[in-house]
Amino acid sequence: MNRQALVTGASRGIGKAIALRLAREGMHVWVNYLRSEQAADEVVALIQASGGNATTVQFDVSDRETCMKTLETLVEKEGAMDVVVHNAGAVSDAPFPGMDVDQWERVINTSLNSFFYVCRPLIMPMIRKRWGRIVSVSSIAALHGNRGQSNYAAAKAGLIGATRSLAKEVANRGICVNAVAPGFIATEMIDGIAADLIKQNVPMGRAGSVQEVAEVVSFLCSDAASYVTGEVINVSGGII
Ligand code: NDP
């Protein structure tokens, strides 16, 4: 039977590339989005046009009740997820003294608390299957910090801690749990960043492409990655 994968935040950017890439591996992909219904439909159409299978699934990963309920229902109807890529994330930058509590909480809820809301309903069915792959999309910001991004860096660092801990808990059940830490990747998220700044800060002198992240995620979701767990792989053009 074909494997099925949930990719959160798959309507655009890195998540879209991951959805397309996993579909090429023959997985049925559940394309999650928050607001971009049309874009998510286009991702599904692209996958179907190339012979793959996909379905959209709308929910807010930062909304505990809706997210957990939607995923419980999805598993009841469709069976366990084999692969979960927790990619959805958001930024709301401000210098720390000027950051308001909403900005702090929104980013922590979207990138960190969502790890629990997404993975908790999916983990027991995965454990029962004795095979699974979970990949968290963290960030280089988790490792270095970034001016104006205390909320984002904290969320992404917390995500690494949660990922590594879950990896240890389920390692003997055939489930691998890893994270990727992208650097500057050419998506809407970095639209405001000057090309010069990227050139100066990235040893490779350029932003990465969404496909370059998707390739690494695809490997981590494959049978080939069966002895890799609890890792964080930078996809950052040499920022270490
Ligand atoms: P984009 O802003 O291009 O896309 C974000 C995606 O996440 C969209 O599909 C969006 O859905 C979805 N999303 C946002 N909030 C929610 C939510 N609450 N519930 C469900 N879906 C949501 O982001 P990127 O592709 O650039 O980033 C993807 C991930 O990679 C993020 O976690 C980001 O932090 C991380 N990352 C990105 C880097 C970069 O340079 N681009 C660098 C390091 C890490 P919708 O379209 O409906 O709004």
Side-chain angles (χ1 to χ4, degrees), residues 71-99:
L71 292 175
E72 279 161 18
T73 308
L74 185 68
V75 169
E76 270 167 34
K77 283 194 183 147
E78 307 288 343
M81 290 297 133
D82 304 281
V83 167
V84 179
V85 181
H86 180 36
N87 161 79
V91 287
S92 185
D93 296 358
F96 191 75
M99 185 176 286

Side-chain angles (χ1 to χ4, degrees), residues 56-196:
T56 59
V57 56
Q58 192 283 333
F59 60 89
D60 181 346
V61 297
S62 69
D63 179 333
R64 180 179 60 200
E65 218 165 299
T66 316
C67 178
M68 295 182 81
K69 189 83 211 135
T70 305
L71 292 175
E72 279 161 18
T73 308
L74 185 68
V75 169
E76 270 167 34
K77 283 194 183 147
E78 307 288 343
M81 290 297 133
D82 304 281
V83 167
V84 179
V85 181
H86 180 36
N87 161 79
V91 287
S92 185
D93 296 358
F96 191 75
M99 185 176 286
D100 61 46
V101 72
D102 279 354
Q103 285 178 289
W104 179 267
E105 287 180 352
R106 193 158 11 104
V107 171
I108 300 284
N109 283 335
T110 306
S111 287
L112 175 57
N113 291 339
S114 56
F115 178 83
F116 183 86
Y117 308 153
V118 169
C119 294
R120 179 65 180 79
L122 302 179
I123 195 71
M124 274 315 295
M126 194 182 265
I127 286 173
R128 286 189 205 105
K129 282 186 104 172
R130 294 288 193 275
W131 194 93
R133 300 283 184 265
I134 297 174
V135 178
S136 302
V137 179
S138 179
S139 167
I140 280 289
L143 314 171
H144 299 275
N146 253 345
R147 292 176 76 92
Q149 289 200 318
S150 55
N151 50 359
Y152 183 75
K156 293 297 192 182
L159 189 55
I160 290 176
T163 298
R164 287 192 157 136
S165 301
L166 183 58
K168 290 193 172 174
E169 289 187 28
V170 296
N172 61 356
R173 309 296 172 100
I175 300 173
C176 299
V177 190
N178 292 289
V180 291
F184 295 96
I185 307 298
T187 70
E188 283 171 35
M189 195 173 267
I190 66 158
D191 269 355
I193 300 178
D196 270 2

Side-chain angles (χ1 to χ4, degrees), residues 10 20 150 157 228:
L20 295 172
S150 55
V228 182

